[in-house]
């Protein structure tokens, strides 16, 4: 039997501002520390055993400016790297990175604060697109890539915008930590990716990307995904709404594969893509692209038909943009099949999951609609912009076959939602999804009452001596609910109520028999870190 009990001390760890970034676990100096970044730029280090504050520090900013920190930092040995934005009277005026020395418990003087700045050639070949702080926003987690020849390696910082306020673009920065330490911040930014190189964004709607221009934000909370390849690595970047237009180098609402250096070649067949149509792209062209996945329906999929009728006369690409169902809400995960091949699982905000060839992204092996479109004529969707999936799938293996677990949510009172587990199997040599289990049972009344809004990100842990693996997910509400579900059969092992609401799109931290989660008290909106002991008994 598995149980979850509050950890003495930790539920009383409170913060002045909301916790949006995920907490982290640091092991060093003979102790375990929970790193808790709050949205006002305070980074608190709590003793994992007692919840007592060990030390804290505020992200440095010019005098009189406010700090906003919503991206999950990254640990590189004893260095904690943070990215944040500075505001003057509510306007973002700069975006910065800083390094904390966890051993010395201070800002690391070897890394002077780095301020983001960049410009790239526009699609017209005559203009420049400049990084614009007021319409940029760092929400995706920082990511680290090690170097085979030693050193600290590189950091990847991503930007989109808050609320899709136009004009904005997607930016990805490759930051060389060794160059930063040796030569200062002006030499630290090694490479830059711009997803929509449009000098002009002639939109008539200030908010959103329904007009399919500019955009392309890199914002999914888990951030870009990095996988090793030989002595190097590849970077998978999902982008938000806008358009894909190969001739203009617009790569919004897509999945991109990049190498170190961030130069991008979609690898699409020129003959098949010569007359590329962003609204109705040719399927043969889409299938030809080696390093670019553009979302599309599979042959067996029904068209997207929201009950409000807003997509009735729109193509799939137009419907995704109009409904704000951007692919960039979700991060991919890579799995290895029984035959040794690698595949990518990429979820969509529209409630779908696509199965891709990791070596050739244009090859879509399968696409499954695992969450029905929110809303009916009698029960309209309460947050149509939210979609039904915003996450990164949790990946495990059961009897040698990959299993992905994808949290879904539906803001209505009609459709079931919860955690959907899919096996990836081989059928006649071709990779396919096979439904494995779903929690709660989609036929139950409970499945239409829980998971009505964005849940936490899913995390995995081993349970005691049994070796069983559990996936943990938090359903956010006036009182958050933690579920622990056994991976091998979908059995509910733990259901525990939280003191607070939990925190959407935040990843809990699990360390051995402890679980820590960001939360807030519904009555006061006081931010807290909640801690629990996981007890496994025979």
């Amino acid at each position: 039997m598995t149980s979850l009990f509050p950890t003495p001390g930790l539920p009383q760890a409170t913060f002045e501002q909301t916790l949006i970034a995920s907490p982290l676990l640091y092991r060093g100096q003979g102790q375990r520390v929970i790193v808790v970044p709050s949205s006002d730029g305070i980074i608190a280090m709590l003793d994992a055993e007692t919840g007592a504050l060990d030390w804290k520090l505020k992200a440095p900013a010019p005098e009189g400016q406010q700090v906003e920190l919503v991206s999950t930092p990254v640990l590189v040995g004893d260095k904690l790297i943070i990215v944040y934005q500075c505001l003057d009277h509510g306007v973002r005026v700069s975006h910065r990175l800083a390094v904390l020395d966890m051993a010395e418990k201070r800002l690391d003087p070897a890394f002077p604060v780095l301020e983001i700045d960049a410009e790239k050639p526009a699609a017209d070949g005559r203009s420049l697109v400049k990084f614009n702080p007021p319409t940029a926003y760092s929400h995706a987690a920082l990511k680290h890539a090690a170097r085979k020849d030693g050193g600290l390696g590189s950091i990847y910082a991503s930007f989109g915008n808050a609320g899709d306020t136009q004009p904005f673009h997607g930016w990805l920065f490759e930051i060389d930590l060794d160059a930063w330490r040796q030569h200062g911040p002006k030499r630290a930014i090694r490479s830059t990716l711009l997803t929509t190189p449009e000098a002009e964004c002639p939109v008539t709607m200030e908010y959103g990307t329904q007009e399919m221009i500019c955009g392309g934000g890199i914002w999914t909370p888990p951030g870009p995904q990095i996988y090793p390849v030989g002595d190097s690595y590849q970077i998978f970047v999902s982008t938000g709404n806008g358009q894909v237009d190969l001739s203009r180098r617009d790569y919004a609402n897509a999945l991109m594969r990049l190498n170190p250096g961030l130069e991008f070649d979609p690898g699409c067949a020129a003959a098949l893509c010569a007359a590329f149509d962003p609204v109705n792209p040719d399927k043969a062209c889409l299938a030809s692209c080696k390093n670019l996945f553009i979302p599309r329906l599979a042959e067996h999929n029904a068209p997207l038909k929201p009950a409000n009728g807003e997509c009735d006369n729109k193509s799939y690409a137009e419907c995704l943009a109009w409904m704000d169902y951007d692919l960039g809400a979700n991060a991919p995960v890579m799995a290895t099949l029984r035959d040794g091949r690698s595949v990518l699982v990429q979820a969509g905000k529209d409630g779908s999951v696509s199965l891709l060839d990791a070596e050739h992204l244009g090859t879509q092996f399968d696409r499954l609609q695992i969450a029905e479109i929110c809303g009916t004529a009698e029960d309209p969707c309460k947050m149509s912009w939210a979609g039904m999936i915003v996450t990164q799938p949790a990946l495990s293996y059961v009897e040698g076959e990959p299993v992905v677990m994808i949290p879904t949510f539906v803001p209505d009172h009609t459709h079931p939602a919860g955690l959907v587990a899919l096996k990836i199997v081989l059928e006649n040599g071709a990779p396919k999804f096979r439904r494995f289990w779903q929690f709660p049972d989609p036929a139950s009344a409970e499945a239409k009452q829980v998971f009505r809004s964005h849940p936490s990100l899913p995390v995995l842990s081993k349970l005691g001596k049994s070796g069983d693996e559990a996936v943990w997910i938090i359903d956010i509400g006036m009182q958050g609910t933690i579920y622990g579900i056994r991976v091998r059969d979908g059995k509910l092992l733990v259901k525990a109520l939280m003191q607070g609401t939990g925190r959407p799109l935040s990843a809990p931290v699990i360390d051995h028999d402890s679980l820590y989660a960001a939360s807030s008290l519904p009555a006061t909106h006081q931010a807290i870190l909640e801690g629990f002991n996981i007890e496994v008994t025979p």
Side-chain angles (χ1 to χ4, degrees):
M1 186 174 70
T2 305
S3 305
L4 208 61
F5 298 100
T7 301
L10 278 179
Q12 283 71 52
T14 61
F15 302 86
E16 294 297 322
Q17 295 294 323
T18 55
L19 305 179
I20 300 176
S22 298
L24 300 172
L25 175 69
Y26 168 74
R27 293 187 184 91
Q29 316 306 312
Q31 64 178 152
R32 295 185 303 125
V33 171
I34 305 299
V35 180
V36 187
S38 63
S39 60
D40 60 356
I42 298 289
I43 302 97
M45 316 300 173
L46 306 181
D47 185 284
E49 298 296 332
T50 66
L53 178 67
D54 187 36
W55 61 286
K56 67 179 180 180
L57 183 149
K58 184 161 187 175
E63 186 175 355
Q65 293 185 8
Q66 300 79 45
V67 169
E68 187 175 29
L69 192 164
V70 297
S71 300
T72 300
V74 67
L75 282 160
V76 182
D78 287 336
K79 311 297 181 187
L80 179 75
I81 299 93
I82 60 173
V83 60
Y84 58 99
Q85 38 240 352
C86 294
L87 292 79
D88 191 348
H89 295 89
V91 177
R92 294 187 291 276
V93 293
S94 68
H95 297 261
R96 300 175 171 225
L97 283 90
V99 179
L100 281 63
D101 187 323
M102 298 293 288
E104 297 294 329
K105 303 183 180 182
R106 61 175 183 174
L107 282 171
D108 195 324
F111 297 87
V113 171
L114 186 162
E115 184 171 334
I116 293 291
D117 189 26
E119 60 182 27
K120 298 282 283 186
D124 60 17
R126 302 184 302 273
S127 311
L128 290 173
V129 181
K130 295 186 178 183
F131 181 79
N132 185 42
T135 57
Y137 194 76
S138 53
H139 188 254
L142 286 175
K143 290 294 180 178
H144 172 250
R147 289 172 49 173
K148 293 292 183 180
D149 59 354
L152 292 174
S154 297
I155 291 294
Y156 292 88
S158 313
F159 294 84
N161 194 15
D164 292 344
T165 305
Q166 290 280 13
F168 77 99
H169 307 278
W171 294 86
L172 180 65
F173 293 89
E174 183 178 67
I175 297 161
D176 187 324
L177 290 174
D178 299 290
W180 187 359
R181 181 166 59 180
Q182 295 167 16
H183 305 294
K186 291 186 178 180
R187 298 274 296 276
I189 298 177
R190 184 166 58 190
S191 307
T192 306
L193 170 75
L194 171 61
T195 64
T196 51
E198 302 293 350
E200 301 291 336
C201 301
V203 294
T204 59
M205 302 176 183
E206 181 181 0
Y207 298 99
T209 50
Q210 291 179 325
E211 294 168 277
M212 297 177 69
I213 188 68
C214 295
I218 303 171
W219 70 272
T220 184
Q225 299 302 299
I226 297 173
Y227 289 96
V229 177
D231 290 336
S232 186
Y233 55 89
Q234 53 191 341
I235 311 151
F236 292 94
V237 177
S238 52
T239 62
N241 266 348
Q243 70 174 2
V244 175
D245 189 338
L246 299 180
S247 65
R248 298 187 64 81
R249 306 192 315 278
D250 285 335
Y251 304 115
N253 204 26
L255 177 65
M256 308 168 71
R257 188 220 327 261
L258 302 109
N259 294 316
L262 302 185
E263 291 296 326
F264 182 64
D265 177 1
C268 304
L272 296 173
C273 302
F276 190 87
D277 181 356
V279 173
N280 279 299
D282 179 73
K283 289 188 176 181
C285 167
L286 302 187
S288 76
C289 299
K290 177 178 174 61
N291 302 312
L292 180 70
F293 169 66
I294 303 169
R296 58 191 184 272
L297 297 171
E299 293 298 330
H300 60 276
N301 293 148
L304 290 188
K305 290 289 185 181
N308 57 19
E310 294 192 30
C311 288
D312 287 356
N313 298 309
K314 293 179 174 62
S315 70
Y316 182 64
E318 289 175 309
C319 182
L320 294 181
W322 190 261
M323 298 299 294
D324 196 25
Y325 289 166
D326 52 323
L327 196 74
N330 291 278
V333 66
M334 184 183 291
T336 303
L337 303 179
R338 282 184 180 274
D339 62 5
R341 282 185 288 173
S342 294
V343 293
L344 284 173
V345 177
Q346 174 69 54
K349 206 175 178 184
D350 62 351
S352 70
V353 187
S354 292
L355 183 60
L356 314 176
D357 185 341
E359 300 300 319
H360 192 277
L361 300 190
T363 301
Q364 180 175 258
F365 292 122
D366 201 2
R367 179 188 176 278
L368 197 62
Q369 192 78 26
I370 64 169
E372 297 180 70
I373 301 295
C374 177
T376 68
E378 297 76 25
D379 180 21
C381 187
K382 293 173 177 58
M383 300 186 297
S384 60
W385 54 267
M388 286 68 65
I389 305 177
V390 180
T391 195
Q392 181 182 27
L395 170 67
S396 186
Y397 291 83
V398 174
E399 297 177 346
E401 291 180 323
V403 174
V404 287
M405 288 144 284
I406 306 124
T408 68
F409 62 97
V410 184
D412 65 20
H413 299 292
T414 301
H415 296 108
L419 197 63
V420 178
L422 305 174
K423 270 191 177 182
I424 306 173
V425 300
L426 293 172
E427 292 184 2
N428 300 319
K432 294 289 181 184
F433 286 131
R434 180 182 296 165
R435 290 185 180 272
F436 188 33
W437 51 258
Q438 185 165 338
F439 174 84
D441 181 341
S444 67
E446 182 185 12
K448 298 179 181 180
Q449 298 167 354
V450 297
F451 295 97
R452 298 297 101 184
S453 63
H454 302 83
S456 75
L457 299 177
V459 296
L460 294 163
S461 75
K462 295 288 186 181
L463 296 176
K465 297 179 180 179
S466 70
D468 269 336
E469 194 169 31
V471 57
W472 301 86
I473 188 77
I474 300 174
D475 185 19
I476 310 303
M478 290 299 289
Q479 189 170 21
T481 305
I482 303 174
Y483 296 100
I485 302 158
R486 195 161 60 192
V487 170
R488 62 180 168 88
D489 57 8
K491 179 182 178 181
L492 176 65
L493 300 175
V494 173
K495 178 180 178 181
L497 294 177
M498 302 180 72
Q499 180 181 354
T501 63
R503 176 68 209 179
L505 307 181
S506 175
V509 171
I510 295 182
D511 180 43
H512 299 299
D513 59 353
S514 299
L515 182 149
Y516 312 90
S519 188
S520 64
L521 297 176
T524 63
H525 301 290
Q526 176 77 61
I528 59 174
L529 182 74
E530 299 198 45
F532 297 84
N533 288 327
I534 304 170
E535 292 191 5
V536 181
T537 55

